[in-house]
Amino acid sequence: QVRLVESGGGSVQAGGSLRLSCSVSGTTVADYCMGWFRQAPRKEREAVATINGKRNRYYTAFVDGRFTISRDSAKNMIFLQMNNLKAEDTAMYYCAARLSTWCRTGVTDFSDWGQGTQVTVSS
């Protein structure tokens, strides 16, 4: 029932920016924990950022101030603005929903996932 569709990935040079979007249907993003995760080849999927209904935000340490998670409640979308991208940011980025008001950061804590959008950063 919950559907998440990511967009905005692409190939950029190190230092560049991308804005990822996630269109959500079947649930209201403002009511739950929403997250961005990423997974590089042969690596574990890891949290990038989460945002809850109160707009409390969490960022994994590697973000180091470079990314911002946000939502547009009217459009029922969440975003990930990524600036100063590094080669090590190269990964498939996934939008995910945790149908709870309490955010967590584990992959298994999220019940619904998008198909992913590829981000490739060349150095």
Side-chain angles (χ1 to χ4, degrees), residues 33-95:
C33 175
M34 305 296 299
W36 286 98
F37 288 72
R38 71 185 190 185
Q39 187 168 20
R42 291 172 283 106
K43 293 186 177 180
E44 297 288 334
R45 190 171 299 189
E46 61 184 348
V48 177
T50 62
I51 183 169
N52 74 359
K54 298 180 181 179
R55 283 195 167 93
N56 294 323
R57 296 172 170 91
Y58 164 84
Y59 298 98
T60 302
F62 64 73
V63 168
D64 196 25
R66 299 175 299 129
F67 301 171
T68 302
I69 187 171
S70 62
R71 73 165 186 254
D72 184 336
S73 298
K75 303 190 74 169
N76 209 41
M77 297 178 67
I78 63 167
F79 306 92
L80 184 69
Q81 178 66 47
M82 303 188 293
N83 299 321
N84 193 25
L85 284 160
K86 305 175 180 180
E88 50 263 44
D89 295 318
T90 295
M92 185 74 75
Y93 283 71
Y94 298 90
C95 178

Side-chain angles (χ1 to χ4, degrees), residues 1 17 20 32 75-76 92 97 102 104:
Q1 187 177 27
S17 298
L20 307 184
Y32 302 103
K75 303 190 74 169
N76 209 41
M92 185 74 75
W102 301 103
R104 300 181 70 90

Side-chain angles (χ1 to χ4, degrees), residues 4-6 21-24 34-37 78 93-97 110 112-117:
L4 305 94
V5 181
E6 304 95 333
S21 299
C22 177
S23 297
V24 181
M34 305 296 299
W36 286 98
F37 288 72
I78 63 167
Y93 283 71
Y94 298 90
C95 178
F110 287 75
D112 296 277
W113 297 82
Q115 81 288 351
T117 185

